[in-house]
Amino acid sequence: SDTGGSIRGPSSFCGIAGIMSSAGLVSRAGVIPNSFTLDHCGPMARSVEDCAIMLQAIAGYDPDDGGSISVKIPNYRANLKKGIKGMRIGLMRHVWTEDVPQPEEVAQAMENAAAVLRKLGAKVEEVRVRPALQYSDVKVVLAETEIYTINYPDLARRPGDFGEDFLSRALPACLFQSSDYVAASREQRIMIDEMAPIWNKYDALLSVVFGPAPRLDKHHPVNFWARPNANPMANVLGCPSLALCNGFSISGLPLGMQLMGRPFDEATVLRIGHTYERATGWHARRPEIGPDTPKPELAPVRHEPQPPKDLDVASVTLVRALAKKAGLSLNERQMRLLLEASPYALAMADRVR
């Protein structure tokens, strides 16, 4: 499932293909919920063609999912080999150069991908949409409020049974007010409506996913709150988004790009991705590892949550009061996790309002 990149991010890191389907296309019945508003399901596979085959099997209306939508399901695989000559693709360069600045090797891979698509006959031109931060804000306020609510009984009764990375994401949602959630919901509706002229002009939008996979010992839980990324846009818009490999870093790790399309137009997104994939062959590259390959040395340090030094007494008092009012019984370490992320959550709520 993908609420803000959980199909596309791992696919990008591993050099495979993964498609987050349109909201309502694939049933979420039986999936542990994260966000009722933003959860999408979809396949991850070695190739775009494999994704098309899997999507064919799982797409369709399901009355057990309240968000499921009945639409005609095309033959995704039969459509793949038609080529992309004449298709219009919007290049969202500002995402990886301004909104979520990427390393030079990622930026170059994106430019190379655009050149390949042009050579294959597509018309690729630069287009601007809202900054990634605005989509990320709406996504986080909606999704974290919902996952907090879904898990609230256990968060209130036994928070220590959750992993700390989860707590650092879910606990700050106690700081969001009902007006913040409604504001984010209204903004989502505006974002969807204002994309109509973009979808009328372009068959797909090209964006970045992530750079090469970071080391495990470089992970910091607060980055979830502090840094926007390019993935929530598709979740907020409810449109399909396909991640696929578009090259490798200097160190040999996969790089990824994503193609977003009109809601329920998975066929076009898969067709563009398959055509690109066949022209480049990046997806066929295998890691050069074997039984005797030495394992990387990793020594992740236990994260010690610390409230920001500039967090004033009034803010600390507010956070503690809201946590208490929410009925959360947190030990001091758990409270530090909450305080550490609180300035970012409160600023996000202010921006959404």
Side-chain angles (χ1 to χ4, degrees), residues 149-182:
T149 303
I150 290 164
N151 291 279
Y152 174 75
D154 290 323
L155 284 169
R157 189 171 65 252
R158 50 193 185 104
D161 288 347
F162 290 92
E164 287 196 352
D165 196 67
F166 177 85
L167 290 178
S168 72
R169 294 187 180 206
L171 290 179
C174 78
L175 308 179
F176 294 146
Q177 305 301 296
S178 57
S179 57
D180 304 328
Y181 182 83
V182 171

Side-chain angles (χ1 to χ4, degrees), residues 14 54 71 82 97 99 116 127 161 167 206 218 273 307:
C14 295
M54 291 182 70
V71 294
K82 295 181 179 179
T97 60
D99 301 352
V116 170
V127 64
D161 288 347
L167 290 178
L206 177 62
K218 296 297 182 183

Side-chain angles (χ1 to χ4, degrees), residues 123-139:
K123 181 179 181 181
V124 182
E125 61 184 32
E126 193 164 351
V127 64
R128 294 188 73 95
V129 297
R130 286 188 184 223
L133 178 64
Q134 294 186 21
Y135 293 106
S136 289
D137 284 348
V138 167
K139 178 265 173 182

